[in-house]
Amino acid sequence: MYIDHRVLGSTKLTGIIGNPVEHSISPQLHNSISFYLGLNLIYVPFKVEKNELENAVRGLKALNIAGFNVTVPYKKDIMKFIDENSKEAILVGAVNTVKNINGRLYGYNTDAEGFARAFKEESGEGFKAKQVALIGAGGAARAIAVKIALEGAKKIYIVNRTKSKADEIAGIINNNIMNIAESCGLDEEMNAEIYKKCDIIINTTSIGMYPEVKSSPVSRNICFFSHQIIYDVIYNPQRTQFLEDCGRFGCKVINGLGMLFYQGIYAYEIWTGVKIPEEPLKDLFRSFSNILDK
Ligand code: ATR
């Protein structure tokens, strides 16, 4: 009989909690990194029911888990069970990565960091002195807005269907980081004016995600300009209708695959302290995009 040596008595445990978790590709990503680096670590998915979050966290702590990711719908609720949340996670209002050090839990948000890294790698640009428009005002928008503000953007416009939610994020930025954020509801003329002024436009909504692949968060009457960088947090499909339309104006267009990838890489680095070298990282990213293509 074949003896499987992948999991040993000394193997360290990591994983992801959320509901659902069946669709998550984080196990493949993290286990591939451990395999590549030869680290004795395993990453497993845990589906947690709504009223079981506290029990689940206690259990993971009791089992001496090295660290875990947190996904929908617990990124906010998890914060009250964490001993120390990072400053950035508090501003973002969400934790997606937890590290266990001797029974003390530390909370981080690597979505924001993952977004910034992916954006810089793929566009060759940063956010300093840039005018940026965010479409949507949910968790992804807040993480991205906080990061961009911390990195010195000149102006952040938050455009959202429910204006009060855009106001809320603008308030967080203006009161805690810098007075650079403005909110706006959905209004074709006003939105077009905003997009015209921006260097970077980011869709943080799920509009255009599979299976609604023909939808776009922006009216087809609005024009974009070739110097603009357009980012869509969606990675399925890899080229959304929004990116397709903006590509026709000659804009540089980037999908959310890199954000997903780098939030995982940062989590891995937080748990293990290992910095993954550039070359294998690129190789891993290529393989990772291929999994999602299937
Ligand atoms: P996430 O945490 O991934 O950012 P979310 O919290 O559900 O997801 O936020 C999604 C954002 O996309 C919301 O701001 C939502 O607008 P509302 O605040 O008005 O609900 C926006 N959004 C999602 N679907 C939309 C649609 N069909 N039209 C307009 N806005 C939409």
Side-chain angles (χ1 to χ4, degrees):
M1 185 184 172
Y2 169 75
I3 299 295
D4 188 335
H5 293 287
R6 288 175 302 174
V7 182
L8 309 170
S10 55
T11 301
K12 289 211 160 51
L13 178 65
T14 60
I16 181 166
I17 60 172
N19 193 355
V21 287
E22 290 84 349
H23 65 286
S24 174
I25 51 165
S26 294
Q28 284 148 288
L29 174 64
H30 288 278
N31 290 322
S32 303
I33 303 172
S34 294
F35 182 74
Y36 172 82
L37 295 173
L39 289 192
N40 189 6
L41 198 80
I42 188 170
Y43 185 105
V44 287
F46 299 108
K47 181 173 173 177
V48 174
E49 296 302 334
K50 210 170 177 67
N51 51 359
E52 292 292 351
L53 182 61
E54 185 170 9
N55 279 339
V57 174
R58 271 212 212 123
L60 290 172
K61 213 159 137 173
L63 295 171
N64 196 29
I65 196 164
F68 57 95
N69 281 133
V70 185
T71 189
V72 176
Y74 302 128
K75 289 187 189 189
K76 195 173 184 169
D77 294 345
I78 189 79
M79 294 179 81
K80 52 180 179 284
F81 306 122
I82 301 297
D83 298 299
E84 199 174 320
N85 289 304
S86 76
K87 222 171 118 188
E88 198 164 292
I90 293 169
L91 276 177
V92 168
V95 157
N96 77 326
T97 300
V98 180
K99 180 172 179 154
N100 177 16
I101 306 177
N102 302 324
R104 200 173 156 75
L105 299 183
Y106 295 82
Y108 304 86
N109 189 301
T110 68
D111 287 329
E113 191 67 31
F115 161 77
R117 168 86 183 261
F119 184 90
K120 286 176 203 164
E121 291 262 320
E122 293 180 67
S123 70
E125 300 271 352
F127 304 107
K128 202 159 180 54
K130 294 283 174 19
Q131 308 219 63
V132 185
L134 297 181
I135 308 169
R142 182 163 163 184
I144 291 173
V146 164
K147 191 72 193 169
I148 289 176
L150 288 172
E151 297 215 349
K154 182 166 143 198
K155 187 90 202 171
I156 300 177
Y157 297 97
I158 300 150
V159 174
N160 194 46
R161 174 176 63 183
T162 310
K163 184 165 176 297
S164 59
K165 283 170 82 180
D167 294 342
E168 202 182 308
I169 299 181
I172 290 162
I173 304 297
N174 293 339
N175 298 328
N176 297 286
I177 306 174
M178 276 245 277
N179 196 6
I180 51 165
E182 243 178 64
S183 51
C184 187
L186 287 188
D187 175 293
E188 199 169 302
E189 220 171 292
M190 276 159 66
N191 298 161
E193 275 308 306
I194 288 175
Y195 300 145
K196 203 160 130 186
K197 287 189 262 191
C198 287
D199 308 292
I200 301 166
I201 297 115
I202 303 168
N203 173 41
T204 72
T205 75
S206 52
I207 307 169
M209 193 192 284
Y210 179 84
E212 304 290 332
V213 297
K214 291 280 170 222
S215 315
S216 168
V218 169
S219 153
R220 300 268 149 73
N221 302 324
I222 296 180
C223 292
F224 290 86
F225 303 91
S226 60
H227 66 276
Q228 295 176 316
I229 302 172
I230 314 292
Y231 194 98
D232 199 327
V233 298
I234 296 172
Y235 53 85
N236 181 17
Q238 293 195 19
R239 199 167 170 96
T240 56
Q241 187 65 52
F242 178 47
L243 294 186
E244 184 64 34
D245 294 343
C246 293
R248 289 203 193 107
F249 290 109
C251 307
K252 180 166 227 161
V253 300
I254 306 169
N255 67 31
L257 202 57
M259 178 177 177
L260 176 71
F261 179 73
Y262 282 110
Q263 63 75 27
I265 298 297
Y266 280 119
Y268 196 91
E269 292 182 350
I270 286 171
W271 297 327
T272 61
V274 172
K275 183 116 186 64
I276 306 163
E278 286 302 316
E279 270 318 302
L281 210 53
K282 289 207 170 102
D283 189 24
L284 196 61
F285 184 66
R286 273 191 294 274
S287 311
F288 180 70
S289 357
N290 289 339
I291 316 177
L292 286 168
D293 258 349
K294 296 198 170 99

